[in-house]
Amino acid sequence: MKEFNVIEDFFKAKSIQRKDVIIGIGDDGAVTRIPQGQALVTTTDTLLSGVHFLADTPPHAIAQKAIAVNLSDLAAMGAEPAWISLSLSLPTIDTDWLEAFSNGLQESAIYYSVQLIGGDTVQGPLSITITAQGFVPFEQALTRSKAKPGDSVYVTGTLGDAGLGLHIAQKKHVLDDLTHQSFLLNRLNYPTPRLLVGTSLRRIASSCIDISDGLVSDIKHILKASQCGATIHVDKLPMSRALKESVAYSQAIDYSLSAGDDYELLFTVSEEQKGYLETTLANANVHATYIGHLTGNVGKLELRLADKPYEYNAKGYEHF
Ligand SMILES: [Mg+2]
């Protein structure tokens, strides 16, 4: 492993150059500049083979997903991404794999304008850890803790696609419609961090989180941090045509509530900010769906379908 420096050899030449990076890859540490009036937001996520992605996932997709899940956390904080660091654990030095992986990483880095500023490689089971850093104006970071009863709950995009995509990838579910199949697999392998929504929500949302573990699990973090409850109307959950046309409605609901890996944003908005929200989303050309509201019933998540209580079976969805 020590014969050559993987980070320098495979990643340095491909890295984009941001003006706020004074010293990048190649020294003992990176030196960077934070813009005036901005706070630094840092987040880390690890993707472990066999746990967070299937072992046969193309390295290009693994790289892009590793970046996306980290940028999704920055989006949930209302931050604008700037830099990433990479820690790679590899069973062997497979140059073809590294070539494809570093190409995928570079494409995403260019697209999101983030610079790889450092990294490290060790020998071990395949695992990718990325640390992402970004900026948010002082006092404007979106958090989980400032929501209040009465606030409306919204989600971006559609839910449940990645969950069904995983079952398709695992051959637990077979689809005849190849267009739907490739859409759902793409939603699993190439999630979209909702960065523009995140930054647009600064000073508008009372709380925000990204949906990585499933709506039911993730909204509970907001309920706990903000000491609230919530009523969610499952018939309002945004679902793609691919999901709705591929499984029964009750299954589609299960995927949407609990499958996770969607990397959409869930956020809350007070009554006073709702008008402002609509203008902001329209100006940014992004869509979010109203799915319910917060209540004073601390810690309680109430699901309703057609205005009746909805019995949610948490075992409806199984991960790996
Ligand atoms: Mg998160």
Side-chain angles (χ1 to χ4, degrees):
M1 208 63 164
K2 287 285 167 204
E3 298 128 48
F4 57 123
N5 185 332
V6 171
I7 297 294
E8 288 222 36
D9 296 348
F10 285 89
F11 296 93
K12 188 181 176 180
K14 294 176 182 171
S15 178
I16 62 158
Q17 192 61 54
R18 284 175 60 103
K19 289 205 178 81
D20 50 19
V21 177
I22 302 159
I23 299 171
I25 295 169
D27 216 306
D28 292 302
V31 181
T32 54
R33 196 178 287 130
I34 300 165
Q36 230 179 6
Q38 306 273 316
L40 185 69
V41 182
T42 304
T43 181
T44 299
D45 243 309
T46 296
L47 299 189
L48 185 61
S49 178
V51 177
H52 302 100
F53 59 88
L54 300 171
D56 61 357
T57 307
H60 181 271
I62 299 171
Q64 300 214 332
K65 187 162 184 172
I67 291 194
V69 303
N70 278 282
L71 298 192
S72 176
D73 278 325
L74 290 184
M77 300 300 294
E80 177 195 326
W83 315 308
I84 51 170
S85 310
L86 168 71
S87 179
L88 256 184
S89 167
L90 296 168
T92 55
I93 301 273
D94 175 342
T95 54
D96 290 341
W97 191 95
L98 276 165
E99 206 49 60
F101 181 88
S102 57
N103 286 340
L105 199 83
Q106 176 211 28
E107 273 173 36
S108 285
I110 291 171
Y111 186 80
Y112 295 112
S113 194
V114 293
Q115 183 171 344
L116 182 72
I117 54 170
D120 180 30
T121 327
V122 294
Q123 190 160 18
L126 179 59
S127 146
I128 299 98
T129 301
I130 286 186
T131 298
Q133 294 177 299
F135 312 131
V136 68
F138 280 137
E139 321 258 320
Q140 287 186 28
L142 301 171
T143 64
R144 301 174 176 183
S145 59
K146 295 193 185 96
K148 296 223 157 47
D151 289 359
S152 296
V153 181
Y154 293 81
V155 286
T156 60
T158 56
L159 300 177
D161 300 324
L164 180 55
L166 174 62
H167 283 172
I168 293 167
Q170 290 173 312
K171 313 236 175 341
K172 287 183 183 167
H173 195 98
V174 180
L175 284 193
D176 296 328
D177 189 318
L178 296 181
T179 314
H180 285 351
Q181 175 167 310
S182 71
F183 170 83
L184 295 163
L185 286 172
N186 272 327
R187 291 278 287 155
L188 171 71
N189 288 327
Y190 296 98
T192 310
R194 301 296 182 189
L195 288 158
L196 183 57
V197 187
T199 52
S200 303
L201 289 175
R202 293 170 185 165
R203 292 192 286 186
I204 296 177
S206 53
S207 71
C208 186
I209 191 166
D210 67 323
I211 302 182
S212 51
D213 299 331
L215 185 148
V216 167
S217 305
D218 288 317
I219 196 174
K220 284 183 179 162
H221 295 302
I222 288 182
L223 302 188
K224 190 169 178 220
S226 291
Q227 288 292 291
C228 291
T231 298
I232 299 298
H233 302 283
V234 300
D235 34 1
K236 291 196 192 302
L237 296 174
M239 294 177 191
S240 66
R241 212 162 63 90
L243 178 67
K244 282 190 286 189
E245 291 179 0
S246 302
V247 293
Y249 186 52
S250 64
Q251 258 185 300
I253 291 175
D254 277 345
Y255 280 118
S256 302
L257 286 175
S258 58
D261 248 7
D262 289 315
Y263 300 101
E264 297 296 344
L265 295 183
L266 182 148
F267 60 92
T268 59
V269 177
S270 70
E271 203 55 40
E272 305 85 76
Q273 295 287 344
K274 268 170 104 170
Y276 198 27
L277 171 74
E278 271 159 41
T279 328
T280 305
L281 291 179
N283 287 344
N285 198 22
V286 290
H287 186 74
T289 307
Y290 167 85
I291 58 164
H293 64 274
L294 297 184
T295 66
N297 207 344
V298 177
K300 177 108 171 70
L301 174 62
E302 190 195 11
L303 301 172
R304 296 186 74 82
L305 175 64
D307 272 325
K308 292 195 192 73
Y310 178 74
E311 282 305 319
Y312 162 68
N313 171 15
K315 290 194 210 92
Y317 178 85
E318 274 166 33
H319 286 266
F320 278 55

